Amino acid sequence: MTAKSTSDPASGGTPPIRGSPRRGVASATLGFFVGFAGVVLYGPVATELEGAMGLSGLALGLLVAAPQLTGSLLRIPFGAWVEDVGAAKPFLVLLGGAVVGMAGLSTILVTLGTDGLTMAHYPLVFLFGALSGCGIATFSVGAAQTSYWSPEDRQGTMLAVYAGLGNSSPGIFTLLVPVALAVLGLTGAYLAWFGFLVCGTFVYGVIAVDPPFFQLRKRGLEADAAKRAAETGGQELFPSGDAMASIREAAGIPRTWVLVALFFASFGGFLALTTWFPSYWTAVHDLDLQASGALTAIAFTLLAALIRVPGGVISDRIGGERTAIASFAVVAVAAAVLMAARTVPLAIGATVLLGIGIGVANAAVFGLVPKYVPEAVGGASGLVGGLGAFGGFVIPPILGLFVDLQGTAGYANGFVVFLVLAIASIGLSGGLYRARVVPTPDGPVPSDD
């Protein structure tokens, strides 16, 4: 896809298009990278917060998952809002919410410090964590923007590049936060994080460019004229034109819900483990805070994020359905090993395997969205990205219950949750594969048989 920077006589004097596909995808990736760092808001300091406020396993699981609550559910309306106004405005609103949340949390830490925190402050800490999670919801916004900027035959690859690089921020922050805690203290570390969020939001606002269709609509062209002009400029996918209609249309397609379930297991699992692994390493293997953060980041979070890029390429070549089946099988094996692992080397090996499986599964599943729901990409991105990511909020409290019921052994036994999710996902992915695309005169479309 190419974007014209000047008026083209062939397009009847159409207003010039700003930016290019590369800039469009790059700005979406930057915005998601900045907002998605909120995934690890409480994970690296979970043990410290647990001791300061006297939290149970369930309460701790809910707290570390607080950013995922808003970060998942807000993906639905904001992903659909892209269908009306493009991606720039929804992005800035969500990043603005994250700035407010981080400002509130930083104020609490400056005012009270760790020693001043008690269980009475739990609701407020939870609230600001949830607000900070608004940045996580940028995923569906950026995914729709990437889809509209990218040619149809490269959707899987471009979405994997966008999501893989954007998803790397939790891994990087999981590495940096323990170091920042040691150097700056808890308050200083979160103030530095707040500064990063403000600067990142500003930079996104400067470089963001909407896909051609939305630019032309904002300049006064009617929808049909804007679509024709954008097609001349290379855009291939277009919005339905109504946010709620996009959600309804996507919700009325059965395969959307299959993709929701698969993304719940893969991406929801990724979010849950990013926040939960530091506690696992500390409790089961007696590692300190910095070592736990480093292992989580390197062996799981960064690996799972970056492997989405080759995972997307593989999905484009052999099919997202087959890639999903294979990757969920890897997740099942890794989860079973983690349940039994009692040595650090074996646990690290299983964690790496789990990161590979979940990362490739994320790329495979989300790459199927524009394939199965091309007429409502924004709505489908919101439903799949939002309800699927809700697993990041649901799973940690369940893992916390294992700890409440079984003590330290519950940290390892809780991986049975991922074993069950992986087996169910293999079945669902197999169903998609058996009913995969059939040829039509207009090109391949999913069979509804």
Side-chain angles (χ1 to χ4, degrees), residues 382-405:
L383 287 173
V384 175
L387 296 180
F390 194 57
F393 178 74
V394 173
I395 296 173
I398 296 175
L399 299 177
L401 282 175
F402 274 86
V403 175
D404 285 341
L405 294 173

Side-chain angles (χ1 to χ4, degrees), residues 333-364:
V333 171
V337 174
L338 277 167
M339 290 175 63
R342 293 297 179 265
T343 65
V344 172
L346 183 59
I348 291 175
T351 300
V352 169
L353 195 64
L354 185 60
I356 292 172
I358 279 186
V360 174
N362 281 331

